[in-house]
Amino acid sequence: MYIYSMRAFEQNDTVFRMLSEAISEGIVVVNEKQDIVATNKRADRLFRYEVGELEGKPLATIIPPKYHGVHREHVKGFYRHNEQKRMAEGRSLYGLRKTGEQFPLEVGLNPFTLPEGNYVLALVYDMTELRDKDSQIMELNAHLEEKIQLRTQELSNTVAELQKEIKRRKKAEALIKTALQREKELNELKTKFLSLVSHEFKTPLSGIMTSATLVGKYKTGEQQEKREKHLQTIFGEVKRLNSILNDFLSIERLDQGKEIYRKTHFSLSKVINEVVYNTNMILKSGQSINLPQNIDEVTLYQDEKILKLSLSNLLYNAAKYSPEDSEIDLEVELDESQIIFSVRDNGIGIPEKDQKHIFDRYFRAENVLLTQGTGIGLNIVRGHLNNLGGSIDFESELNVGSTFTITLPIKE
Ligand code: ADP
């Protein structure tokens, strides 16, 4: 590296060369007139001049025109204070290349005095790379921010998705739980149903068995009466089994909406006599049914089979859930649009807490668990009556008695 020309410098050429070589920045030495008196190679290269070409040229040669004024003032002040200073700290300073191109730089100014006068040695740092790096960093930062924003957005989207998924799963879980619970209840119901059916069938079957065995033992003609009594029991029990099976079949038809109703004109007294006759067969000793008085000559238009089934159910229950020597009242109220039947007993009644479940399928109140029954009858009756536009209701008091009421439309 060389520093050229200027007599004062020539004398110290070696020293300056050494100094110049030790420094990797560009060096520009300027005299008081602001002429360049020496440069090093690095400075020449920075400003794109041939080696030594800048020497003797005014400093303004390497400063873009728009900074000339500012710069002059600056340098004057600088000589006055004679201090070391770094220019362009915190603001942009530019150098002018021979090519006319400008480039960012930073300058460290070091004044010194030789016998010939005052000089300033300017150390020139090329900031292009740094600025490039700065802007690269800024760009990267901006990019990074964008990326962070994007990722944050993505993340919050994912979180939202996850929350949605969690909600969905919770819902599904709840559904599965309900389904499981239902399945469990259904299973319990099935088990209950099976044990109930077995139980219900066992008693009539063992009755039939006993009677049949006994019938076989009465061989002589005089024993005909006893034979008939046992045959009667067999018929009764078979009838009971048949009615239970009918109830089950009825449930299926009702559930599947397959029940076909047939409305006809029929005599009310005929139906009541038939139902009461059948109930009489199962009455306990001393029980009696008080018949309605106002039904002669009444003709109804309804489904006769369903009416029979409903009344039988109520009368059977009244007898079943009442003690011996008690009375059952069957009453009828009639106007031109509907008929109301009520069956009143003085029996065991229904516990209040069980009353709301009485029409539920298979439900039996806690005070009847030692009495035979399936808990199906009332449920079926209600189903049929609803389908026919009618209804069923009751009032009951524990250990006092119950009144069940059926309403049916009778208009054609
Ligand atoms: P079950 O075969 O048990 O008699 P139902 O469906 O006919 O079935 O009746 C359901 C329940 O309603 C009975 O188990 C019983 O608890 C109650 N119940 C029905 N009728 C009467 C009544 N007249 N007195 C007391 N409880 C009754």
Side-chain angles (χ1 to χ4, degrees):
M1 191 169 295
Y2 300 95
I3 293 183
Y4 292 94
S5 210
M6 206 193 79
R7 255 160 281 129
F9 282 69
E10 271 166 12
Q11 292 161 18
N12 298 295
D13 189 31
T14 327
V15 180
F16 281 106
R17 192 185 308 159
M18 260 176 56
L19 279 173
S20 301
E21 273 169 12
I23 295 169
S24 57
E25 281 79 30
I27 292 178
V28 177
V29 183
V30 183
N31 62 16
E32 266 178 282
K33 284 192 282 173
Q34 293 201 36
D35 288 329
I36 298 171
V37 293
T39 55
N40 67 354
K41 259 186 172 174
R42 172 93 181 119
D44 295 331
R45 213 171 29 243
L46 262 181
F47 291 96
R48 304 286 191 267
Y49 284 88
E50 295 297 320
V51 172
E53 193 184 348
L54 272 172
E55 189 192 319
K57 289 202 161 57
L59 176 61
T61 317
I62 56 169
I63 297 175
K66 70 171 173 183
Y67 299 115
H68 285 176
V70 188
H71 187 77
R72 235 188 325 274
E73 289 312 307
H74 191 81
V75 174
K76 267 188 206 155
F78 184 72
Y79 280 121
R80 264 200 303 280
H81 301 296
N82 201 14
E83 60 187 350
Q84 228 182 1
K85 195 164 179 183
R86 198 174 175 91
M87 287 176 80
E89 261 171 343
R91 70 197 161 96
S92 316
L93 199 67
Y94 287 89
L96 179 64
R97 289 192 166 127
K98 195 179 177 186
T99 53
E101 186 194 348
Q102 296 184 16
F103 68 100
L105 48 75
E106 242 184 55
V107 183
L109 299 176
N110 305 276
F112 63 94
T113 306
L114 290 179
E116 294 82 3
N118 295 321
Y119 297 90
V120 174
L121 183 142
L123 287 173
V124 183
Y125 310 86
D126 182 358
M127 301 299 287
T128 318
E129 247 177 50
L130 220 66
R131 291 272 163 94
D132 280 357
K133 281 215 172 103
D134 270 0
S135 61
Q136 261 176 19
I137 286 171
M138 264 155 69
E139 211 172 285
L140 270 176
N141 274 346
H143 215 67
L144 212 67
E145 257 169 47
E146 243 173 54
K147 250 191 186 158
I148 287 171
Q149 261 175 11
L150 204 78
R151 292 277 181 276
T152 312
Q153 186 57 44
E154 278 173 8
L155 213 70
S156 58
N157 285 352
T158 312
V159 169
E161 283 294 318
L162 270 174
Q163 273 169 348
K164 248 194 241 161
E165 180 64 17
I166 288 172
K167 247 190 202 165
R168 201 185 60 77
R169 286 199 184 178
K170 270 192 184 156
K171 221 172 169 184
E173 207 176 297
L175 275 178
I176 289 173
K177 260 191 195 158
T178 326
L180 262 176
Q181 182 62 25
R182 213 174 293 150
E183 182 75 21
K184 221 172 115 190
E185 278 168 13
L186 212 71
N187 268 336
E188 278 167 13
L189 218 63
K190 274 184 198 157
T191 316
K192 206 168 144 191
F193 177 75
L194 280 179
S195 83
L196 185 142
V197 170
S198 319
H199 214 74
E200 280 298 296
F201 273 57
K202 243 173 123 171
T203 320
L205 281 175
S206 79
I208 291 169
M209 191 76 169
T210 316
S211 292
T213 315
L214 289 176
V215 166
K217 287 191 175 158
Y218 300 125
K219 298 206 165 80
T220 60
E222 314 88 73
Q223 292 171 319
Q224 181 57 19
E225 205 181 306
K226 288 184 175 168
R227 259 197 298 273
E228 268 176 17
K229 195 183 133 243
H230 286 298
L231 282 175
Q232 200 59 41
T233 311
I234 292 174
F235 286 140
E237 297 294 20
V238 168
K239 235 179 169 171
R240 199 160 120 196
L241 285 174
N242 199 41
S243 97
I244 293 172
L245 283 176
N246 275 340
D247 276 357
F248 293 155
L249 290 174
S250 204
I251 277 187
E252 206 194 346
R253 283 200 304 273
L254 260 177
D255 281 358
Q256 295 176 354
K258 280 186 186 159
E259 185 72 52
I260 298 162
Y261 298 100
R262 252 178 234 101
K263 288 190 184 178
T264 52
H265 293 274
F266 58 86
S267 152
L268 174 60
S269 57
K270 195 191 111 211
V271 166
I272 286 189
N273 286 337
E274 210 177 306
V275 171
V276 170
Y277 176 82
N278 282 332
T279 315
N280 276 334
M281 296 227 257
I282 61 127
L283 286 182
K284 292 175 188 157
S285 98
Q287 280 184 334
S288 62
I289 299 173
N290 297 321
L291 291 175
Q293 296 306 315
N294 53 340
I295 55 166
D296 292 342
E297 311 297 322
V298 175
T299 303
L300 295 183
Y301 181 73
Q302 247 307 342
D303 187 312
E304 186 181 345
K305 200 181 80 190
I306 298 301
L307 180 60
K308 275 185 197 162
L309 178 130
S310 306
L311 288 177
S312 304
N313 247 291
L314 298 194
L315 286 171
Y316 276 30
N317 279 348
K320 191 160 68 168
Y321 298 121
S322 298
E324 292 179 353
D325 302 317
S326 65
E327 292 191 1
I328 297 164
D329 299 319
L330 171 59
E331 280 169 16
V332 173
E333 263 178 67
L334 185 77
D335 62 33
E336 74 257 24
S337 66
Q338 62 179 17
I339 185 161
I340 302 172
F341 297 91
S342 49
V343 177
R344 183 182 314 114
D345 65 53
N346 303 293
I348 60 171
I350 302 166
E352 208 177 319
K353 74 172 176 57
D354 288 340
Q355 291 193 4
K356 57 178 176 294
H357 298 298
I358 280 308
F359 295 108
D360 293 352
R361 191 172 294 170
Y362 307 126
F363 182 85
R364 308 198 69 222
E366 63 176 16
N367 62 335
V368 303
L369 297 183
L370 295 177
T371 319
Q372 294 248 307
T374 58
I376 292 174
L378 288 181
N379 178 266
I380 293 174
V381 169
R382 190 184 57 171
H384 285 312
L385 291 178
N386 285 347
N387 287 345
L388 289 169
S391 61
I392 179 167
D393 221 330
F394 73 94
E395 276 177 10
S396 183
E397 199 177 324
L398 195 61
N399 299 323
V400 175
S402 314
T403 305
F404 278 81
T405 315
I406 284 175
T407 308
L408 264 176
I410 48 169
K411 260 193 161 169
E412 279 195 43

